[in-house]
Amino acid sequence: MTPTRSRAACAAAAVLSAGLLAAACASSPQPSAGGPPATNVSIEISDAGCGPNPATVPTGPVNFAVTNPASDKVTEAEVLGGGKILGEKENITPGLDGAFSLRLDPGTYSVYCPGAAKDTWAFTVQGNGSAAADTSLTAATQAYHDYVVTEVGQLQTAAKTFTDAVRAGDISAAEQAYAPARVHYESIEPVAESFGDLDPAIDARIDDVTDPTQWTGFHRIEKALWADHSLAGMAPVADKLDADIATLKAKVATNTYQPAELANGASDLLTEVSTSKVTGEEDRYSHTDLWDFAANIDGARKAFELLQPALAATDPDLAQQLEARFTDVVNGLAKYRSGNGYEDYGAVTDTDRRSLADSVNALAEPLSQVAGKVV
């Protein structure tokens, strides 16, 4: 069975911050700043499914509001189009909600909620012409494309150092190369996640797979290094990791983005830090989580910086607030620097973890408003 990439429920991080759930898992899309008004679509996820309401909308900006009244089985909703995930909300556990915004051209899309009895629902956008965003944002999306291409190129090079050490059976060298390779993946993770099964193949944890014999990617080798203390049988896993990264490189070379995707991706990176990653579940064997935190923040900040000129024109106060809060988070992480990397996350106290989560949440809430401002 193909592994699915699931994230730990938001409730797992509740012990770290009393305000964590509301800030990280719920946000309200903002009205479109210009052009046609945004259409509001509600998606209620349940064991039965996730039918969008309405299921047909006009071309242009669309605000999606995702709610989960009671389902423990289904906690995610995605909008799919053109063979990739355009927008999504994960970890919507019972009683929680989330939101994201997109600008959609005419065509047929689908809403997908993994685990539901009916997991795929048709969604149609009607109209004529293109829903392209203001041309002032074209430079931002092109620059983000270039950034992603560069990061994946660096990922391929750094991962090859890691996988070469794995194939050579050199545990020490592989451990040293593990975190530096992953930072290039973590900075653009929402892009990788948009390509369906590619992210689980590269970055799934043991919790994400139904058949452990099919577990591949970074974390499978991480377990071999730090838990099993043996690289026996890991050469094929290393080979597949190289091949999957090469596939990712080919896909991002021709991928295109819309401004809302940059904003949604930045918001998702922060939500992942402040919910699942802050608990230490991501790099549970190596305790290199702080490297991932920093990469997630860097990726989110890059997307924000590219959108900042347009955002400053429509909401200068929000742009200024976000710049200040990014600075706070970066400064907060800096205290854990050690040489060219970061301290072992296992040594970080619960109080410090709570402080990290709170600072990320203080950034995540206003950042979640940006997509609605740039659609």
Side-chain angles (χ1 to χ4, degrees), residues 3 162-163 166 178 182 198-205 209 214-225 234 236-242 244-245:
F162 172 62
T163 56
V166 172
Y178 173 78
R182 282 181 49 76
L198 194 53
D199 174 64
I202 294 172
D203 203 40
R205 275 86 77 192
V209 298
Q214 300 301 308
W215 184 21
T216 61
F218 277 115
H219 293 299
R220 176 63 189 92
I221 301 173
E222 179 199 10
K223 179 179 181 295
L225 288 167
M234 287 298 103
V237 181
D239 292 344
K240 187 175 188 306
L241 180 58
D242 285 339
D244 289 332
I245 291 173

PDB file of all heavy atoms in Angstrom, residues 3 162-163 166 178 182 198-205 209 214-225 234 236-242 244-245:
ATOM      1  N   PRO A   3       2.180   4.645   1.139  1.00  0.00           N
ATOM      2  CA  PRO A   3       2.073   5.371   2.389  1.00  0.00           C
ATOM      3  C   PRO A   3       1.419   6.723   2.175  1.00  0.00           C
ATOM      4  O   PRO A   3       1.555   7.342   1.129  1.00  0.00           O
ATOM      5  CB  PRO A   3       3.537   5.536   2.844  1.00  0.00           C
ATOM      6  CG  PRO A   3       4.324   5.456   1.577  1.00  0.00           C
ATOM      7  CD  PRO A   3       3.577   4.516   0.689  1.00  0.00           C
ATOM      8  N   PHE A 162      24.960  12.588   1.728  1.00  0.00           N
ATOM      9  CA  PHE A 162      24.330  11.743   2.752  1.00  0.00           C
ATOM     10  C   PHE A 162      24.189  10.300   2.260  1.00  0.00           C
ATOM     11  O   PHE A 162      24.603   9.352   2.938  1.00  0.00           O
ATOM     12  CB  PHE A 162      22.970  12.343   3.108  1.00  0.00           C
ATOM     13  CG  PHE A 162      22.120  11.500   4.012  1.00  0.00           C
ATOM     14  CD1 PHE A 162      22.530  11.185   5.295  1.00  0.00           C
ATOM     15  CD2 PHE A 162      20.877  11.040   3.574  1.00  0.00           C
ATOM     16  CE1 PHE A 162      21.722  10.415   6.141  1.00  0.00           C
ATOM     17  CE2 PHE A 162      20.069  10.281   4.403  1.00  0.00           C
ATOM     18  CZ  PHE A 162      20.495   9.954   5.687  1.00  0.00           C
ATOM     19  N   THR A 163      23.611  10.122   1.073  1.00  0.00           N
ATOM     20  CA  THR A 163      23.358   8.760   0.586  1.00  0.00           C
ATOM     21  C   THR A 163      24.643   8.030   0.220  1.00  0.00           C
ATOM     22  O   THR A 163      24.721   6.808   0.363  1.00  0.00           O
ATOM     23  CB  THR A 163      22.398   8.782  -0.617  1.00  0.00           C
ATOM     24  OG1 THR A 163      22.926   9.633  -1.647  1.00  0.00           O
ATOM     25  CG2 THR A 163      21.016   9.284  -0.206  1.00  0.00           C
ATOM     26  N   VAL A 166      25.744   6.565   3.361  1.00  0.00           N
ATOM     27  CA  VAL A 166      24.897   5.417   3.700  1.00  0.00           C
ATOM     28  C   VAL A 166      25.332   4.195   2.913  1.00  0.00           C
ATOM     29  O   VAL A 166      25.494   3.092   3.462  1.00  0.00           O
ATOM     30  CB  VAL A 166      23.414   5.748   3.425  1.00  0.00           C
ATOM     31  CG1 VAL A 166      22.546   4.493   3.575  1.00  0.00           C
ATOM     32  CG2 VAL A 166      22.921   6.844   4.356  1.00  0.00           C
ATOM     33  N   TYR A 178      23.146  14.254   7.546  1.00  0.00           N
ATOM     34  CA  TYR A 178      21.677  14.127   7.582  1.00  0.00           C
ATOM     35  C   TYR A 178      20.969  15.478   7.677  1.00  0.00           C
ATOM     36  O   TYR A 178      20.191  15.860   6.789  1.00  0.00           O
ATOM     37  CB  TYR A 178      21.277  13.230   8.762  1.00  0.00           C
ATOM     38  CG  TYR A 178      19.795  13.156   9.024  1.00  0.00           C
ATOM     39  CD1 TYR A 178      18.966  12.368   8.229  1.00  0.00           C
ATOM     40  CD2 TYR A 178      19.224  13.854  10.089  1.00  0.00           C
ATOM     41  CE1 TYR A 178      17.600  12.293   8.481  1.00  0.00           C
ATOM     42  CE2 TYR A 178      17.863  13.776  10.343  1.00  0.00           C
ATOM     43  CZ  TYR A 178      17.054  12.999   9.541  1.00  0.00           C
ATOM     44  OH  TYR A 178      15.701  12.932   9.795  1.00  0.00           O
ATOM     45  N   ARG A 182      18.686  17.899   4.848  1.00  0.00           N
ATOM     46  CA  ARG A 182      17.242  18.074   5.030  1.00  0.00           C
ATOM     47  C   ARG A 182      16.800  19.535   5.026  1.00  0.00           C
ATOM     48  O   ARG A 182      15.645  19.832   4.697  1.00  0.00           O
ATOM     49  CB  ARG A 182      16.798  17.406   6.336  1.00  0.00           C
ATOM     50  CG  ARG A 182      16.685  15.904   6.210  1.00  0.00           C
ATOM     51  CD  ARG A 182      16.222  15.258   7.499  1.00  0.00           C
ATOM     52  NE  ARG A 182      15.051  15.922   8.043  1.00  0.00           N
ATOM     53  CZ  ARG A 182      13.806  15.785   7.562  1.00  0.00           C
ATOM     54  NH1 ARG A 182      13.594  15.017   6.511  1.00  0.00           N
ATOM     55  NH2 ARG A 182      12.795  16.425   8.131  1.00  0.00           N
ATOM     56  N   LEU A 198       4.996  11.889  -3.646  1.00  0.00           N
ATOM     57  CA  LEU A 198       6.428  12.164  -3.639  1.00  0.00           C
ATOM     58  C   LEU A 198       6.916  12.554  -2.243  1.00  0.00           C
ATOM     59  O   LEU A 198       7.983  12.100  -1.795  1.00  0.00           O
ATOM     60  CB  LEU A 198       6.754  13.260  -4.649  1.00  0.00           C
ATOM     61  CG  LEU A 198       8.228  13.454  -5.025  1.00  0.00           C
ATOM     62  CD1 LEU A 198       8.855  12.137  -5.472  1.00  0.00           C
ATOM     63  CD2 LEU A 198       8.363  14.507  -6.110  1.00  0.00           C
ATOM     64  N   ASP A 199       6.162  13.376  -1.543  1.00  0.00           N
ATOM     65  CA  ASP A 199       6.558  13.767  -0.189  1.00  0.00           C
ATOM     66  C   ASP A 199       6.592  12.579   0.769  1.00  0.00           C
ATOM     67  O   ASP A 199       7.576  12.409   1.498  1.00  0.00           O
ATOM     68  CB  ASP A 199       5.644  14.870   0.340  1.00  0.00           C
ATOM     69  CG  ASP A 199       5.920  15.198   1.800  1.00  0.00           C
ATOM     70  OD1 ASP A 199       7.024  15.676   2.094  1.00  0.00           O
ATOM     71  OD2 ASP A 199       5.032  14.968   2.643  1.00  0.00           O
ATOM     72  N   PRO A 200       5.571  11.715   0.798  1.00  0.00           N
ATOM     73  CA  PRO A 200       5.677  10.538   1.669  1.00  0.00           C
ATOM     74  C   PRO A 200       6.879   9.659   1.339  1.00  0.00           C
ATOM     75  O   PRO A 200       7.497   9.090   2.239  1.00  0.00           O
ATOM     76  CB  PRO A 200       4.355   9.796   1.430  1.00  0.00           C
ATOM     77  CG  PRO A 200       3.413  10.845   0.979  1.00  0.00           C
ATOM     78  CD  PRO A 200       4.238  11.820   0.186  1.00  0.00           C
ATOM     79  N   ALA A 201       7.218   9.544   0.058  1.00  0.00           N
ATOM     80  CA  ALA A 201       8.357   8.714  -0.319  1.00  0.00           C
ATOM     81  C   ALA A 201       9.662   9.277   0.221  1.00  0.00           C
ATOM     82  O   ALA A 201      10.568   8.535   0.605  1.00  0.00           O
ATOM     83  CB  ALA A 201       8.435   8.589  -1.840  1.00  0.00           C
ATOM     84  N   ILE A 202       9.754  10.606   0.285  1.00  0.00           N
ATOM     85  CA  ILE A 202      10.985  11.262   0.723  1.00  0.00           C
ATOM     86  C   ILE A 202      11.023  11.487   2.221  1.00  0.00           C
ATOM     87  O   ILE A 202      12.081  11.373   2.850  1.00  0.00           O
ATOM     88  CB  ILE A 202      11.152  12.612  -0.016  1.00  0.00           C
ATOM     89  CG1 ILE A 202      11.373  12.377  -1.515  1.00  0.00           C
ATOM     90  CG2 ILE A 202      12.297  13.440   0.572  1.00  0.00           C
ATOM     91  CD1 ILE A 202      11.367  13.654  -2.350  1.00  0.00           C
ATOM     92  N   ASP A 203       9.877  11.778   2.833  1.00  0.00           N
ATOM     93  CA  ASP A 203       9.902  12.355   4.184  1.00  0.00           C
ATOM     94  C   ASP A 203       8.921  11.743   5.176  1.00  0.00           C
ATOM     95  O   ASP A 203       8.668  12.313   6.227  1.00  0.00           O
ATOM     96  CB  ASP A 203       9.635  13.857   4.070  1.00  0.00           C
ATOM     97  CG  ASP A 203      10.157  14.645   5.255  1.00  0.00           C
ATOM     98  OD1 ASP A 203      11.263  14.329   5.731  1.00  0.00           O
ATOM     99  OD2 ASP A 203       9.461  15.572   5.714  1.00  0.00           O
ATOM    100  N   ALA A 204       8.337  10.580   4.871  1.00  0.00           N
ATOM    101  CA  ALA A 204       7.374   9.975   5.799  1.00  0.00           C
ATOM    102  C   ALA A 204       8.048   9.506   7.080  1.00  0.00           C
ATOM    103  O   ALA A 204       9.193   9.034   7.069  1.00  0.00           O
ATOM    104  CB  ALA A 204       6.666   8.808   5.123  1.00  0.00           C
ATOM    105  N   ARG A 205       7.325   9.628   8.187  1.00  0.00           N
ATOM    106  CA  ARG A 205       7.739   9.017   9.442  1.00  0.00           C
ATOM    107  C   ARG A 205       7.061   7.653   9.572  1.00  0.00           C
ATOM    108  O   ARG A 205       6.148   7.334   8.816  1.00  0.00           O
ATOM    109  CB  ARG A 205       7.349   9.894  10.640  1.00  0.00           C
ATOM    110  CG  ARG A 205       8.378  10.973  10.925  1.00  0.00           C
ATOM    111  CD  ARG A 205       8.152  12.200  10.127  1.00  0.00           C
ATOM    112  NE  ARG A 205       7.057  12.983  10.671  1.00  0.00           N
ATOM    113  CZ  ARG A 205       6.478  13.995  10.047  1.00  0.00           C
ATOM    114  NH1 ARG A 205       6.880  14.323   8.836  1.00  0.00           N
ATOM    115  NH2 ARG A 205       5.508  14.671  10.593  1.00  0.00           N
ATOM    116  N   VAL A 209       3.039   5.357   7.624  1.00  0.00           N
ATOM    117  CA  VAL A 209       2.986   4.211   6.719  1.00  0.00           C
ATOM    118  C   VAL A 209       2.186   3.074   7.342  1.00  0.00           C
ATOM    119  O   VAL A 209       2.230   2.845   8.553  1.00  0.00           O
ATOM    120  CB  VAL A 209       4.400   3.715   6.338  1.00  0.00           C
ATOM    121  CG1 VAL A 209       5.171   4.796   5.605  1.00  0.00           C
ATOM    122  CG2 VAL A 209       5.178   3.277   7.570  1.00  0.00           C
ATOM    123  N   GLN A 214       7.482  -0.906   3.466  1.00  0.00           N
ATOM    124  CA  GLN A 214       7.432   0.032   2.344  1.00  0.00           C
ATOM    125  C   GLN A 214       7.909   1.432   2.737  1.00  0.00           C
ATOM    126  O   GLN A 214       7.832   2.364   1.944  1.00  0.00           O
ATOM    127  CB  GLN A 214       6.001   0.119   1.799  1.00  0.00           C
ATOM    128  CG  GLN A 214       5.448  -1.199   1.305  1.00  0.00           C
ATOM    129  CD  GLN A 214       6.289  -1.795   0.201  1.00  0.00           C
ATOM    130  OE1 GLN A 214       6.581  -1.132  -0.799  1.00  0.00           O
ATOM    131  NE2 GLN A 214       6.686  -3.067   0.339  1.00  0.00           N
ATOM    132  N   TRP A 215       8.406   1.566   3.954  1.00  0.00           N
ATOM    133  CA  TRP A 215       8.850   2.870   4.466  1.00  0.00           C
ATOM    134  C   TRP A 215      10.171   3.241   3.799  1.00  0.00           C
ATOM    135  O   TRP A 215      11.139   2.473   3.823  1.00  0.00           O
ATOM    136  CB  TRP A 215       9.008   2.768   5.974  1.00  0.00           C
ATOM    137  CG  TRP A 215       9.374   4.037   6.676  1.00  0.00           C
ATOM    138  CD1 TRP A 215       9.207   5.313   6.238  1.00  0.00           C
ATOM    139  CD2 TRP A 215       9.962   4.125   7.977  1.00  0.00           C
ATOM    140  NE1 TRP A 215       9.649   6.209   7.179  1.00  0.00           N
ATOM    141  CE2 TRP A 215      10.118   5.505   8.265  1.00  0.00           C
ATOM    142  CE3 TRP A 215      10.361   3.199   8.938  1.00  0.00           C
ATOM    143  CZ2 TRP A 215      10.660   5.964   9.464  1.00  0.00           C
ATOM    144  CZ3 TRP A 215      10.893   3.640  10.130  1.00  0.00           C
ATOM    145  CH2 TRP A 215      11.038   5.009  10.385  1.00  0.00           C
ATOM    146  N   THR A 216      10.225   4.422   3.212  1.00  0.00           N
ATOM    147  CA  THR A 216      11.432   4.893   2.529  1.00  0.00           C
ATOM    148  C   THR A 216      11.738   6.327   2.956  1.00  0.00           C
ATOM    149  O   THR A 216      10.976   6.952   3.688  1.00  0.00           O
ATOM    150  CB  THR A 216      11.255   4.851   1.000  1.00  0.00           C
ATOM    151  OG1 THR A 216      10.169   5.722   0.626  1.00  0.00           O
ATOM    152  CG2 THR A 216      10.956   3.433   0.528  1.00  0.00           C
ATOM    153  N   GLY A 217      12.849   6.851   2.480  1.00  0.00           N
ATOM    154  CA  GLY A 217      13.163   8.255   2.666  1.00  0.00           C
ATOM    155  C   GLY A 217      14.085   8.562   3.825  1.00  0.00           C
ATOM    156  O   GLY A 217      14.680   7.683   4.455  1.00  0.00           O
ATOM    157  N   PHE A 218      14.197   9.850   4.097  1.00  0.00           N
ATOM    158  CA  PHE A 218      15.114  10.347   5.125  1.00  0.00           C
ATOM    159  C   PHE A 218      14.905   9.686   6.480  1.00  0.00           C
ATOM    160  O   PHE A 218      15.866   9.274   7.147  1.00  0.00           O
ATOM    161  CB  PHE A 218      14.952  11.860   5.291  1.00  0.00           C
ATOM    162  CG  PHE A 218      15.708  12.691   4.296  1.00  0.00           C
ATOM    163  CD1 PHE A 218      15.033  13.487   3.381  1.00  0.00           C
ATOM    164  CD2 PHE A 218      17.091  12.700   4.270  1.00  0.00           C
ATOM    165  CE1 PHE A 218      15.718  14.279   2.467  1.00  0.00           C
ATOM    166  CE2 PHE A 218      17.797  13.484   3.373  1.00  0.00           C
ATOM    167  CZ  PHE A 218      17.107  14.276   2.458  1.00  0.00           C
ATOM    168  N   HIS A 219      13.663   9.607   6.918  1.00  0.00           N
ATOM    169  CA  HIS A 219      13.418   9.151   8.288  1.00  0.00           C
ATOM    170  C   HIS A 219      13.620   7.650   8.458  1.00  0.00           C
ATOM    171  O   HIS A 219      13.919   7.191   9.566  1.00  0.00           O
ATOM    172  CB  HIS A 219      12.029   9.581   8.744  1.00  0.00           C
ATOM    173  CG  HIS A 219      11.890  11.063   8.879  1.00  0.00           C
ATOM    174  ND1 HIS A 219      12.658  11.802   9.756  1.00  0.00           N
ATOM    175  CD2 HIS A 219      11.091  11.951   8.225  1.00  0.00           C
ATOM    176  CE1 HIS A 219      12.335  13.083   9.646  1.00  0.00           C
ATOM    177  NE2 HIS A 219      11.395  13.196   8.727  1.00  0.00           N
ATOM    178  N   ARG A 220      13.469   6.896   7.365  1.00  0.00           N
ATOM    179  CA  ARG A 220      13.802   5.463   7.466  1.00  0.00           C
ATOM    180  C   ARG A 220      15.284   5.295   7.741  1.00  0.00           C
ATOM    181  O   ARG A 220      15.688   4.465   8.569  1.00  0.00           O
ATOM    182  CB  ARG A 220      13.416   4.752   6.157  1.00  0.00           C
ATOM    183  CG  ARG A 220      13.828   3.271   6.144  1.00  0.00           C
ATOM    184  CD  ARG A 220      13.097   2.496   7.224  1.00  0.00           C
ATOM    185  NE  ARG A 220      13.591   1.136   7.406  1.00  0.00           N
ATOM    186  CZ  ARG A 220      14.536   0.797   8.285  1.00  0.00           C
ATOM    187  NH1 ARG A 220      15.129   1.730   9.046  1.00  0.00           N
ATOM    188  NH2 ARG A 220      14.904  -0.466   8.416  1.00  0.00           N
ATOM    189  N   ILE A 221      16.106   6.085   7.059  1.00  0.00           N
ATOM    190  CA  ILE A 221      17.546   6.000   7.283  1.00  0.00           C
ATOM    191  C   ILE A 221      17.908   6.615   8.630  1.00  0.00           C
ATOM    192  O   ILE A 221      18.832   6.139   9.313  1.00  0.00           O
ATOM    193  CB  ILE A 221      18.312   6.678   6.132  1.00  0.00           C
ATOM    194  CG1 ILE A 221      17.960   6.017   4.791  1.00  0.00           C
ATOM    195  CG2 ILE A 221      19.819   6.601   6.375  1.00  0.00           C
ATOM    196  CD1 ILE A 221      18.537   6.717   3.573  1.00  0.00           C
ATOM    197  N   GLU A 222      17.204   7.656   9.034  1.00  0.00           N
ATOM    198  CA  GLU A 222      17.432   8.250  10.353  1.00  0.00           C
ATOM    199  C   GLU A 222      17.299   7.190  11.448  1.00  0.00           C
ATOM    200  O   GLU A 222      18.126   7.110  12.370  1.00  0.00           O
ATOM    201  CB  GLU A 222      16.428   9.383  10.601  1.00  0.00           C
ATOM    202  CG  GLU A 222      16.578  10.027  11.968  1.00  0.00           C
ATOM    203  CD  GLU A 222      15.336  10.797  12.405  1.00  0.00           C
ATOM    204  OE1 GLU A 222      14.285  10.681  11.726  1.00  0.00           O
ATOM    205  OE2 GLU A 222      15.401  11.487  13.445  1.00  0.00           O
ATOM    206  N   LYS A 223      16.242   6.369  11.361  1.00  0.00           N
ATOM    207  CA  LYS A 223      16.050   5.307  12.355  1.00  0.00           C
ATOM    208  C   LYS A 223      17.208   4.312  12.330  1.00  0.00           C
ATOM    209  O   LYS A 223      17.700   3.884  13.390  1.00  0.00           O
ATOM    210  CB  LYS A 223      14.736   4.580  12.119  1.00  0.00           C
ATOM    211  CG  LYS A 223      14.465   3.438  13.101  1.00  0.00           C
ATOM    212  CD  LYS A 223      13.137   2.776  12.839  1.00  0.00           C
ATOM    213  CE  LYS A 223      12.865   1.659  13.847  1.00  0.00           C
ATOM    214  NZ  LYS A 223      13.822   0.534  13.743  1.00  0.00           N
ATOM    215  N   ALA A 224      17.636   3.952  11.119  1.00  0.00           N
ATOM    216  CA  ALA A 224      18.749   3.012  11.013  1.00  0.00           C
ATOM    217  C   ALA A 224      20.006   3.556  11.690  1.00  0.00           C
ATOM    218  O   ALA A 224      20.741   2.816  12.357  1.00  0.00           O
ATOM    219  CB  ALA A 224      19.032   2.701   9.542  1.00  0.00           C
ATOM    220  N   LEU A 225      20.232   4.860  11.539  1.00  0.00           N
ATOM    221  CA  LEU A 225      21.437   5.474  12.089  1.00  0.00           C
ATOM    222  C   LEU A 225      21.392   5.590  13.604  1.00  0.00           C
ATOM    223  O   LEU A 225      22.304   5.142  14.309  1.00  0.00           O
ATOM    224  CB  LEU A 225      21.631   6.863  11.463  1.00  0.00           C
ATOM    225  CG  LEU A 225      22.065   6.891   9.994  1.00  0.00           C
ATOM    226  CD1 LEU A 225      21.915   8.297   9.432  1.00  0.00           C
ATOM    227  CD2 LEU A 225      23.511   6.407   9.858  1.00  0.00           C
ATOM    228  N   MET A 234      20.267  -0.577   3.915  1.00  0.00           N
ATOM    229  CA  MET A 234      19.839   0.793   3.628  1.00  0.00           C
ATOM    230  C   MET A 234      20.295   1.309   2.260  1.00  0.00           C
ATOM    231  O   MET A 234      19.829   2.365   1.822  1.00  0.00           O
ATOM    232  CB  MET A 234      20.364   1.744   4.714  1.00  0.00           C
ATOM    233  CG  MET A 234      19.637   1.623   6.053  1.00  0.00           C
ATOM    234  SD  MET A 234      17.878   2.043   5.934  1.00  0.00           S
ATOM    235  CE  MET A 234      17.153   0.396   5.965  1.00  0.00           C
ATOM    236  N   PRO A 236      19.521   0.289  -0.822  1.00  0.00           N
ATOM    237  CA  PRO A 236      18.387   0.505  -1.728  1.00  0.00           C
ATOM    238  C   PRO A 236      17.525   1.695  -1.325  1.00  0.00           C
ATOM    239  O   PRO A 236      16.975   2.387  -2.193  1.00  0.00           O
ATOM    240  CB  PRO A 236      17.596  -0.807  -1.632  1.00  0.00           C
ATOM    241  CG  PRO A 236      18.588  -1.823  -1.167  1.00  0.00           C
ATOM    242  CD  PRO A 236      19.508  -1.074  -0.254  1.00  0.00           C
ATOM    243  N   VAL A 237      17.410   1.945  -0.029  1.00  0.00           N
ATOM    244  CA  VAL A 237      16.639   3.104   0.441  1.00  0.00           C
ATOM    245  C   VAL A 237      17.353   4.387   0.029  1.00  0.00           C
ATOM    246  O   VAL A 237      16.712   5.360  -0.394  1.00  0.00           O
ATOM    247  CB  VAL A 237      16.445   3.051   1.968  1.00  0.00           C
ATOM    248  CG1 VAL A 237      15.631   4.255   2.450  1.00  0.00           C
ATOM    249  CG2 VAL A 237      15.755   1.749   2.380  1.00  0.00           C
ATOM    250  N   ALA A 238      18.671   4.391   0.135  1.00  0.00           N
ATOM    251  CA  ALA A 238      19.454   5.548  -0.295  1.00  0.00           C
ATOM    252  C   ALA A 238      19.300   5.773  -1.793  1.00  0.00           C
ATOM    253  O   ALA A 238      19.149   6.919  -2.256  1.00  0.00           O
ATOM    254  CB  ALA A 238      20.919   5.353   0.075  1.00  0.00           C
ATOM    255  N   ASP A 239      19.338   4.683  -2.570  1.00  0.00           N
ATOM    256  CA  ASP A 239      19.168   4.799  -4.020  1.00  0.00           C
ATOM    257  C   ASP A 239      17.805   5.391  -4.365  1.00  0.00           C
ATOM    258  O   ASP A 239      17.693   6.257  -5.249  1.00  0.00           O
ATOM    259  CB  ASP A 239      19.305   3.425  -4.682  1.00  0.00           C
ATOM    260  CG  ASP A 239      20.715   2.854  -4.604  1.00  0.00           C
ATOM    261  OD1 ASP A 239      21.656   3.630  -4.318  1.00  0.00           O
ATOM    262  OD2 ASP A 239      20.868   1.630  -4.816  1.00  0.00           O
ATOM    263  N   LYS A 240      16.770   4.935  -3.675  1.00  0.00           N
ATOM    264  CA  LYS A 240      15.425   5.443  -3.953  1.00  0.00           C
ATOM    265  C   LYS A 240      15.297   6.906  -3.554  1.00  0.00           C
ATOM    266  O   LYS A 240      14.627   7.699  -4.229  1.00  0.00           O
ATOM    267  CB  LYS A 240      14.366   4.610  -3.234  1.00  0.00           C
ATOM    268  CG  LYS A 240      12.933   4.989  -3.631  1.00  0.00           C
ATOM    269  CD  LYS A 240      11.905   4.082  -3.011  1.00  0.00           C
ATOM    270  CE  LYS A 240      10.515   4.381  -3.583  1.00  0.00           C
ATOM    271  NZ  LYS A 240      10.113   5.786  -3.475  1.00  0.00           N
ATOM    272  N   LEU A 241      15.936   7.282  -2.458  1.00  0.00           N
ATOM    273  CA  LEU A 241      15.897   8.683  -2.046  1.00  0.00           C
ATOM    274  C   LEU A 241      16.519   9.566  -3.120  1.00  0.00           C
ATOM    275  O   LEU A 241      15.965  10.615  -3.477  1.00  0.00           O
ATOM    276  CB  LEU A 241      16.626   8.859  -0.709  1.00  0.00           C
ATOM    277  CG  LEU A 241      16.675  10.282  -0.142  1.00  0.00           C
ATOM    278  CD1 LEU A 241      15.275  10.849   0.068  1.00  0.00           C
ATOM    279  CD2 LEU A 241      17.447  10.306   1.176  1.00  0.00           C
ATOM    280  N   ASP A 242      17.642   9.156  -3.661  1.00  0.00           N
ATOM    281  CA  ASP A 242      18.262   9.913  -4.755  1.00  0.00           C
ATOM    282  C   ASP A 242      17.317  10.015  -5.949  1.00  0.00           C
ATOM    283  O   ASP A 242      17.176  11.080  -6.559  1.00  0.00           O
ATOM    284  CB  ASP A 242      19.564   9.241  -5.204  1.00  0.00           C
ATOM    285  CG  ASP A 242      20.710   9.448  -4.222  1.00  0.00           C
ATOM    286  OD1 ASP A 242      20.632  10.400  -3.424  1.00  0.00           O
ATOM    287  OD2 ASP A 242      21.669   8.654  -4.259  1.00  0.00           O
ATOM    288  N   ASP A 244      14.012   9.745  -6.003  1.00  0.00           N
ATOM    289  CA  ASP A 244      12.838  10.573  -5.690  1.00  0.00           C
ATOM    290  C   ASP A 244      13.187  12.053  -5.708  1.00  0.00           C
ATOM    291  O   ASP A 244      12.383  12.890  -6.163  1.00  0.00           O
ATOM    292  CB  ASP A 244      12.259  10.174  -4.333  1.00  0.00           C
ATOM    293  CG  ASP A 244      11.573   8.808  -4.361  1.00  0.00           C
ATOM    294  OD1 ASP A 244      11.086   8.419  -5.444  1.00  0.00           O
ATOM    295  OD2 ASP A 244      11.523   8.150  -3.306  1.00  0.00           O
ATOM    296  N   ILE A 245      14.365  12.405  -5.232  1.00  0.00           N
ATOM    297  CA  ILE A 245      14.793  13.805  -5.274  1.00  0.00           C
ATOM    298  C   ILE A 245      15.014  14.250  -6.716  1.00  0.00           C
ATOM    299  O   ILE A 245      14.692  15.388  -7.078  1.00  0.00           O
ATOM    300  CB  ILE A 245      16.052  14.006  -4.406  1.00  0.00           C
ATOM    301  CG1 ILE A 245      15.697  13.842  -2.926  1.00  0.00           C
ATOM    302  CG2 ILE A 245      16.674  15.379  -4.655  1.00  0.00           C
ATOM    303  CD1 ILE A 245      16.889  13.843  -1.989  1.00  0.00           C
TER     304      ILE A 245
END
